[in-house]
């Protein structure tokens, strides 16, 4: 019998993390609904613009390219299927997919936030779909890493790289005026909510379906 996606000792923290992040998404959605930039968004953009040049901005933006997240999830799904870990394969496919669908088809139309730069305006920017793909993929990779007995140093290094990817992708979207900072934060929180709850659901009720 394979190990659960979330070990027993981590189930309660994972559930609480899902609850807290869901509350965070809701609070942010209410705060920015129908609005534009907040003082925090302006502060983050000013500092990003001051310290990141145009060339660096384009490089950072490349880290949120959807093809990267899709490729990683596909690799995890295929690899998991080859070793008959159907639960991991399902999580790798469904976790990011559901997160992005909730972002694009549920939250963006409801919140209807506008990104305004001079006379240019784009509606429906909260949360960020690009950041949702990155952050949900990172959440999946955290759970995948939990299936292996890694040394403490290796685990810290791996998680640090994942955190760096999330932050760099967010900075690229902010600096290139694709999103406000709070759009990316909302995506990070939503990703934790969706992937955590999905992993718990697969552990509890998905065995008969994915095995």
């Amino acid at each position: 019998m394979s190990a659960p996606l979330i070990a027993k000792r981590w189930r309660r923290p994972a559930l609480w993390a899902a609850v807290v992040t869901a509350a965070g998404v809701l609070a942010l959605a209410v705060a920015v609904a129908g609005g534009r930039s907040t003082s925090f968004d302006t502060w983050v953009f000013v500092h990003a613009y001051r310290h990141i040049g145009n060339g660096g901005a384009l490089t950072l933006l490349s880290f949120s390219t959807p093809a990267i997240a899709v490729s990683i999830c596909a690799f995890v799904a295929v690899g998991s299927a080859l070793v008959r870990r159907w639960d991991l394969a399902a999580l790798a496919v469904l976790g990011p997919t559901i997160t992005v669908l909730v972002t694009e088809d549920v939250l963006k139309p409801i919140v209807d936030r506008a990104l305004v730069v001079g006379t240019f305006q784009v509606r429906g920017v909260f949360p960020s779909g690009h950041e949702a793909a990155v952050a949900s993929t990172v959440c999946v990779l955290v759970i995948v890493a939990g299936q292996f007995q890694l040394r403490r140093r290796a685990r810290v290094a791996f998680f640090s790289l994942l955190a760096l990817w999330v932050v760099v992708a967010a900075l690229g979207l902010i600096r290139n005026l694709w999103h406000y900072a709070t759009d990316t934060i909302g995506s990070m929180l939503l990703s934790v909510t969706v992937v955590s709850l999905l992993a718990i659901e697969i552990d509890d009720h998905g065995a008969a379906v994915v095995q």
Side-chain angles (χ1 to χ4, degrees):
M1 188 178 193
S2 60
L5 294 175
I6 299 179
K8 185 175 181 180
R9 66 192 179 101
W10 290 108
R11 283 177 61 87
R12 187 182 294 273
L15 183 58
W16 274 110
V19 171
V20 171
T21 52
V25 174
L26 179 60
L28 271 180
V30 171
V32 305
R36 300 182 180 182
S37 178
T38 66
S39 57
F40 173 74
D41 293 313
T42 301
W43 180 84
V44 173
F45 174 74
V46 167
H47 281 76
Y49 188 83
R50 183 177 300 165
H51 297 290
I52 302 172
N54 292 332
L58 292 176
T59 299
L60 294 182
L61 187 62
S62 67
F63 284 90
S64 63
T65 302
I68 298 177
V70 171
S71 298
I72 291 173
C73 289
F75 178 80
V76 172
V78 171
S80 299
L82 289 175
V83 296
R84 302 186 66 80
R85 281 299 304 266
W86 305 112
D87 51 350
L88 277 174
L91 183 71
V93 173
L94 295 177
T97 299
I98 293 174
T99 304
V100 173
L101 286 176
V102 172
T103 295
E104 299 292 339
D105 297 336
V106 179
L107 291 176
K108 281 190 176 185
I110 292 176
V111 178
D112 192 31
R113 189 186 198 187
L115 175 69
V116 179
V117 182
T119 58
F120 179 75
Q121 177 174 305
V122 178
R123 302 205 70 85
V125 295
F126 179 91
S128 164
H130 284 76
E131 187 69 12
V134 171
S136 58
T137 299
V138 164
C139 290
V140 169
L141 291 176
V142 168
I143 292 176
V144 170
Q147 307 301 306
F148 298 93
Q149 295 296 325
L150 300 176
R151 292 185 177 181
R152 180 187 178 95
R153 187 173 298 179
R155 193 178 297 276
V156 170
F158 183 64
F159 289 167
S160 297
L161 284 175
L162 293 180
L164 181 63
W165 181 26
V166 172
V167 173
V168 165
L171 284 174
L173 294 167
I174 296 164
R175 171 59 178 80
N176 287 277
L177 293 171
W178 283 37
H179 282 283
Y180 297 122
T182 43
D183 298 335
T184 64
I185 293 173
S187 298
M188 297 174 199
L189 296 174
L190 178 65
S191 297
V192 175
T193 301
V194 173
V195 176
S196 297
L197 291 179
L198 179 61
I200 292 171
E201 180 66 18
I202 291 174
D203 278 342
D204 287 347
H205 306 294
V209 176
V210 300
Q211 291 182 358

